[in-house]
Amino acid sequence: MSLNKWKRHFGFTIVFALVLTTLAACGSDNKEKAAAEAETELTVLLDWYPNAVHSFLYAAEEQGYFKEAGLKVKLQTPADTNDALKLVATGKADLALSYQMQVAISRAEDIPIVSVAAIVRHPLNRLFALDSAGIQSPKDLIGKKIGYPSIPLDQLIVNTMVESDGGDPAKLNYVDIGWDLIPAMTTSKVDAIIGGYVNHEKPLLEKEGMKLAAFDPSAYGVPDYYELVLTASEAGLESKSAAFKKFIEAAAKGQQYTVEHPEQSLQNLLDLQNENFPLDAEIEKQSLDILLPLMDAGSEPFGSQTEESWNAVINWLNEHGQLKKELKAEDAFRNL
């Protein structure tokens, strides 16, 4: 082969290789673009500022489980936690973390939301009493001051506990303390509080040096309810049921990762914390240790719900006049 022919041949080879490389790069870019375009976007509202209970969601995001499921998930904190269900019901968010009892009450008010997964499977809300108050069981609250956060449902929980323990709820003395739960206890403004969580207020109070007695509502006549559930709207379920199922499956992977790597999951949460909602690493570690067993569904899939649980909650709320109309369990929840 002559030198000129060799040069032309070599030049053609280089050009051809460049074309193939360019086409491959374009193909790769197009695939990535197509994959991005194919992702389903979901806006998910938290129940409160990001904390240990949300570790599984941030783990699913950080580990790429949502992306693998073809989802682009936006985790948001609502301006007011009471707005989450309304925002989902009106289509302004796709999913929201909320509370089983609140879902039942809302359904009875014709708000079209449905629970699609149980996240925390047992009550976190506990009755806390100062050790110095000498309260050995709920009936000992009679003659004491009980702080509650302006929520009648919390009063109902305590009334049920006291009655179940053999006391007379009519003799209870409630003090509306809003959300100043911790100051009310540290200043002895009240002898006991309801509305505080075993994974949050309890460790915070104990860090302040307070000695507490804690009582689980489900041990005193209140149903063993799901504290935290994932909710969707009826309209959302019609249009995005497949995406919601993928979200729950990815979230389950996030939960499994959190169970197997609690320190890494918690550190990931701490690294992402919002400066407006600073976290206490020590408290969040205690919180996660408390939460993981309460989020465990055992042999059932993560997030699974039972009709038995929903019937128990609905019946209890109905017996105490909390539901505006008759409600069937099948209308309040769905396992995807």
Side-chain angles (χ1 to χ4, degrees):
M1 182 182 291
S2 69
L3 181 60
N4 287 336
K5 285 184 178 179
W6 183 87
K7 286 180 178 178
R8 287 197 300 272
H9 176 75
F10 184 69
F12 173 78
T13 301
I14 292 176
V15 171
F16 184 67
L18 287 171
V19 169
L20 288 178
T21 302
T22 302
L23 288 173
C26 289
S28 177
D29 289 344
N30 288 336
K31 284 181 180 179
E32 290 180 5
K33 184 178 180 181
E37 290 176 351
E39 285 182 342
T40 301
E41 294 188 9
L42 294 178
T43 297
V44 181
L45 300 179
L46 306 182
D47 56 302
W48 203 26
Y49 67 81
N51 63 87
V53 77
H54 308 122
S55 296
F56 74 106
L57 293 174
Y58 288 96
E61 178 68 29
E62 195 269 338
Q63 292 298 310
Y65 300 144
F66 290 139
K67 188 174 181 62
E68 288 172 6
L71 303 174
K72 185 176 181 180
V73 176
K74 187 175 183 180
L75 300 173
Q76 290 186 334
T77 304
D80 186 331
T81 56
N82 294 320
D83 292 341
L85 288 180
K86 294 176 183 176
L87 291 171
V88 168
T90 55
K92 294 178 181 177
D94 298 295
L95 297 165
L97 290 174
S98 188
Y99 311 92
Q100 184 180 21
M101 289 194 182
Q102 191 57 51
V103 169
I105 291 169
S106 297
R107 283 295 317 201
E109 294 175 350
D110 293 323
I111 298 176
I113 46 91
V114 180
S115 173
V116 293
I119 305 301
V120 180
R121 311 185 67 81
H122 306 281
L124 295 176
N125 188 2
R126 302 291 170 88
L127 172 65
F128 299 125
L130 294 173
D131 200 48
S132 58
I135 298 168
Q136 302 298 316
S137 69
K139 67 175 179 293
D140 296 334
L141 287 169
I142 294 171
K144 307 293 184 180
K145 291 180 289 185
I146 309 161
Y148 78 107
S150 310
I151 300 174
L153 189 59
D154 280 326
Q155 289 179 294
L156 176 57
I157 288 173
V158 176
N159 288 351
T160 299
M161 294 174 72
V162 170
E163 186 173 16
S164 173
D165 194 37
D168 183 359
K171 296 180 180 179
L172 295 175
N173 177 26
Y174 287 101
V175 180
D176 188 343
I177 56 175
W179 288 106
D180 292 330
L181 300 172
I182 291 176
M185 289 286 271
T186 56
T187 60
S188 297
K189 181 178 179 179
V190 295
D191 302 295
I193 59 170
I194 187 67
Y197 277 16
V198 68
N199 65 309
H200 186 71
E201 277 78 11
K202 185 173 185 286
L204 282 171
L205 282 165
E206 289 175 339
K207 189 174 182 178
E208 293 285 331
M210 309 298 292
K211 292 184 179 180
L212 304 171
F215 304 98
D216 183 345
S218 66
Y220 295 94
V222 179
D224 186 15
Y225 60 91
Y226 303 141
E227 186 68 60
L228 205 62
V229 296
L230 181 68
T231 63
S233 68
E234 289 184 346
L237 280 170
E238 289 181 8
S239 61
K240 293 185 177 181
S241 182
F244 293 168
K245 187 174 188 297
K246 290 178 181 178
F247 176 86
I248 294 170
E249 290 170 349
K253 290 182 180 179
Q255 177 66 5
Q256 187 59 38
Y257 179 86
T258 301
V259 169
E260 295 173 358
H261 307 90
E263 291 183 5
Q264 294 94 321
S265 295
L266 190 57
Q267 189 57 53
N268 178 52
L269 177 73
L270 294 171
D271 290 343
L272 294 171
Q273 66 182 298
N274 189 311
E275 61 181 13
N276 295 321
F277 306 106
L279 299 174
D280 182 321
E282 179 187 346
I283 296 298
E284 295 308 315
K285 183 183 184 306
Q286 290 182 54
S287 178
L288 189 60
D289 289 343
I290 293 166
L291 285 164
L292 290 179
L294 301 177
M295 298 172 77
D296 187 0
S299 60
E300 296 299 316
F302 176 73
S304 63
Q305 307 170 87
T306 68
E307 186 173 349
E308 179 184 9
S309 173
W310 279 95
N311 277 329
V313 166
I314 289 169
N315 290 339
W316 181 75
L317 289 170
N318 196 45
E319 286 170 9
H320 293 88
Q322 299 299 302
L323 301 182
K324 289 189 174 181
K325 71 174 190 178
E326 183 179 346
L327 176 65
K328 294 181 180 178
E330 63 193 47
D331 295 328
F333 87 100
R334 194 173 307 171
N335 285 317
L336 299 182

